[in-house]
Amino acid sequence: MPSFGKLLPLAAAVLLSGCSAIVNSHLQKEEMMKAYESGDNSAVAKEIRDRLREPAWYNSSVVNTGDELMWRLEAGAFFFHVGDFKESIEQFRAAERLIAGYDDRARISVRDVSAEAGGALTNLNALPYRGFCRDRLALSIYKSLAYLGMGDESAFRAQLRRLREEQKKVQDDYREFFEKEKAELEKEKKLHPDAAGKANEATSASELAGNSENAEFRAGLDEVKRIANRGYGNFLNPAAIFLSGLGSVRDGNYSNAEIDFRRLYEAMPGNPAFQRYYATVLEKAASEPPAELRSTKGFDFPLEQDCVYVFFANGKTAAFRQIALYFPVMTAWPMCEFYPAPFEQLHLEADNRTYSTLPLADMDGILAQEFEERLPGMIARIVLGTLIREGAYYTSLALVSAADMDPLAKTLAVLAIALGGAAYRAAVNTADTRSWEILPKEFQLTQFPMPENRKISLELNGSRKICRTVEIPADTRSAILFVSAPSARNVQCHLLSLKSK
């Protein structure tokens, strides 16, 4: 086991990992998210631009650090929210380049080795943020809609055709990620056998939850498990699958649409909208419906043309807060934090008919399910890293105490290690709370024929009632109406026109 004195040169490896290991990301973004919730979009824009400006020693830029991807994702979603679709696409493209770089990076490189060393000696913040599975699909969803916001229908259609492949790629990539993470953990255990032995005794979530000191962890874990049951398994995001199916419907490719809407129906068999979508495309594809859907009627208007689709992005997605976990050493731990939805549904009126949105994708459930799946590996890595630091600290004290040296010099050395070690351990005892926070709690959906008077009335009933009217331009044949409501004080409506049919 290394002495604490050896941690100082090794800790320099953290610099190569490209991000701060002593910053609680969730707290760092707290003021920005308060501004977002209050509707102060100019303050949010300023914070994001400050973080993504040209880096210099005197500013807080995250460009070329391990946190850049997270901020690019925040930027892409925020600029979509305010209707700056050009900037949104540019930010998402930058995020895609970072993701590709992480995916294509050689398995062994100086930066990877230093990052892993930094993670063991400090915390998981020392590793670059590579995004959750949910992030990569949400990126594709927003990017496809941003193209439509730019009026580039061909790019929108091309992006929709890639959504199904993106879903499969995410599933394959993350399975490989889990295997690599497991292999890296085993490598660390071999390098630190003493710490590994102790870590193996404390890596069960149920055992940690059973510790009377871990009441907050136990309550958080119970909530995660409850909400994870709303997920869809295998990293499925129904909003991505729906858009893929919609693209196939508009292209007249009903065999592909059948595949997508079957997946949606199987993910949420009780959802009446998905029952009708599946019944509609089965009829178009001349396919036999399952027995339970034989009496289900499809839509009585064409989905491929002269139609309005309403996407309702409701509330703020889950984030991660820092809590204390004891095993029995106290270490900082990330735990999901869920926020209440500001609204129940979006109600609309068109041609004297009323419509209400229904669930499309529970983003909280998707994140909670992935967090739960990652939990065993996270526990093992965090516990191991904490024990390595603790072991190095106490070994250093023991070595100095046993050394044959001048009593005064020994006292000063012990004091220096005690004070320096305590400060270092406190500084790096920070949970990795990084996540993409400017996302909705859920997506909801409804649809109806293009209104003859080309007007749509919207109503949201929450802590305050919000009513708006949207007028559809004459050259718009179909449209996606995207309503983004992170709170009752920050509601944006975007009409994304489809002019081809």
Side-chain angles (χ1 to χ4, degrees):
M1 180 176 291
S3 68
F4 188 78
K6 292 181 179 178
L7 291 182
L8 298 179
L10 288 173
V14 177
L15 297 175
L16 290 176
S17 70
C19 56
S20 173
I22 60 173
V23 173
N24 182 322
S25 174
H26 180 55
L27 290 180
Q28 187 183 56
K29 291 191 286 186
E30 187 174 34
E31 291 304 313
M32 182 185 78
M33 295 307 296
K34 285 181 180 178
Y36 182 56
E37 188 172 4
S38 70
D40 188 356
N41 291 323
S42 61
V44 180
K46 182 179 184 305
E47 177 68 11
I48 287 174
R49 293 193 190 282
D50 283 349
R51 295 289 178 177
L52 294 174
R53 61 184 161 175
E54 190 67 23
W57 65 268
Y58 52 82
N59 66 31
S60 59
S61 173
V62 298
V63 174
N64 300 326
T65 78
D67 292 345
E68 182 179 355
L69 173 59
M70 176 184 67
W71 283 95
R72 294 291 180 190
L73 294 171
E74 301 286 20
F78 171 75
F79 287 114
F80 184 97
H81 172 73
V82 297
D84 189 343
F85 301 115
K86 181 176 183 296
E87 180 70 16
S88 177
I89 290 171
E90 289 177 359
Q91 295 294 343
F92 282 134
R93 284 175 176 165
E96 285 178 325
R97 288 193 293 270
L98 289 168
I99 289 171
Y102 291 141
D103 291 347
D104 296 339
R105 184 180 297 167
R107 288 185 175 272
I108 298 178
S109 69
V110 172
R111 187 172 178 184
D112 276 342
V113 171
S114 64
E116 288 300 324
L121 297 173
T122 55
N123 54 55
L124 297 185
N125 287 292
L127 303 176
Y129 180 77
R130 302 187 182 208
F132 284 81
C133 166
R134 174 205 63 168
D135 296 359
R136 300 190 179 198
L137 287 172
L139 186 161
S140 294
I141 291 167
Y142 274 97
K143 186 181 174 189
S144 64
L145 295 172
Y147 277 126
L148 194 56
M150 285 284 293
D152 192 342
E153 192 172 336
S154 62
F156 166 70
R157 292 173 65 189
Q159 191 75 17
L160 293 194
R161 294 190 192 102
R162 290 195 290 268
L163 274 173
R164 188 190 301 165
E165 295 176 6
E166 286 291 324
Q167 176 78 66
K168 185 177 185 307
K169 184 177 185 300
V170 162
Q171 292 166 348
D172 293 342
D173 287 351
Y174 269 76
R175 292 302 168 191
E176 184 179 342
F177 166 80
F178 288 136
E179 290 302 316
K180 184 179 179 182
E181 186 179 60
K182 184 178 178 181
E184 289 169 347
L185 179 62
E186 291 304 315
K187 188 186 303 181
E188 285 294 330
K189 286 182 176 180
K190 288 179 181 178
L191 290 173
H192 308 281
D194 291 344
K198 294 177 183 178
N200 289 336
E201 299 172 3
T203 53
S204 165
S206 58
E207 287 178 350
L208 292 172
N211 185 334
S212 60
E213 293 183 289
N214 291 333
E216 189 175 11
F217 174 79
R218 182 168 59 253
L221 199 58
D222 288 343
E223 185 177 30
V224 166
K225 288 180 178 179
R226 177 176 59 81
I227 293 177
N229 288 330
R230 307 199 311 240
Y232 312 99
N234 205 20
F235 306 119
L236 181 72
N237 188 316
I241 299 302
F242 174 82
L243 283 171
S244 173
L246 175 61
S248 295
V249 166
R250 286 184 57 81
D251 288 343
N253 189 339
Y254 290 102
S255 58
N256 277 350
E258 180 181 343
I259 294 171
D260 288 327
F261 286 109
R262 180 176 67 244
R263 294 183 73 187
L264 288 179
Y265 169 68
E266 289 172 351
M268 287 184 278
N271 187 310
F274 292 162
Q275 292 173 1
R276 295 188 70 187
Y277 272 107
Y278 191 30
T280 300
V281 298
L282 284 172
E283 183 178 349
K284 290 283 188 179
S287 298
E288 186 70 20
E292 67 273 15
L293 288 184
R294 285 175 186 162
S295 60
T296 300
K297 294 183 178 180
F299 291 100
D300 57 1
F301 55 88
L303 296 173
E304 67 275 8
Q305 63 184 44
D306 303 316
C307 187
V308 176
Y309 295 89
V310 181
F311 274 68
F312 177 36
N314 187 24
K316 293 192 308 177
T317 192
F320 292 102
R321 71 181 190 275
Q322 179 172 299
I323 65 171
L325 182 70
Y326 297 87
F327 58 91
V329 179
M330 191 281 284
T331 191
W333 181 264
M335 181 55 69
C336 290
E337 182 170 32
F338 302 96
Y339 305 103
F343 304 103
E344 184 176 344
Q345 288 177 296
L346 170 62
H347 305 286
L348 306 103
E349 182 179 317
D351 283 345
N352 297 317
R353 291 188 62 182
T354 58
Y355 305 89
S356 297
T357 53
L358 291 173
L360 172 59
D362 189 321
M363 300 294 280
D364 280 0
I366 292 170
L367 182 64
Q369 197 168 76
E370 185 172 355
F371 178 80
E372 190 175 36
E373 184 161 347
R374 288 189 177 191
L375 190 60
M378 289 171 61
I379 291 175
R381 290 175 74 96
I382 293 174
V383 168
L384 179 63
T386 302
L387 291 173
I388 289 171
R389 296 193 302 271
E390 291 293 314
Y393 172 66
Y394 287 109
T395 298
S396 295
L397 287 176
L399 288 173
V400 173
S401 297
D404 183 13
M405 56 192 300
D406 178 76
L408 179 58
K410 179 184 291 191
T411 300
L412 292 175
V414 168
L415 183 61
I417 291 175
L419 294 177
Y424 176 79
R425 287 150 64 226
V428 301
N429 194 13
T430 305
D432 184 1
T433 58
R434 293 174 296 179
S435 69
W436 183 1
E437 297 191 30
I438 300 181
L439 280 176
K441 181 181 182 67
E442 62 176 347
F443 285 110
Q444 296 185 17
L445 171 75
T446 193
Q447 59 292 303
F448 45 83
M450 177 64 67
E452 291 185 7
N453 65 0
R454 309 189 75 79
K455 291 184 179 181
I456 303 171
S457 297
L458 290 75
E459 182 178 307
L460 287 164
N461 291 299
S463 57
R464 52 187 290 198
K465 187 174 181 179
I466 298 172
C467 299
R468 294 185 184 177
T469 299
V470 175
E471 295 194 19
I472 303 172
D475 62 349
T476 297
R477 293 286 307 275
S478 293
I480 293 176
L481 177 61
F482 194 100
V483 179
S484 179
S487 73
R489 292 173 291 176
N490 194 357
V491 177
Q492 301 282 329
C493 301
H494 304 301
L495 186 74
L496 313 178
S497 296
L498 290 156
K499 299 182 179 180
S500 58
K501 58 180 178 178

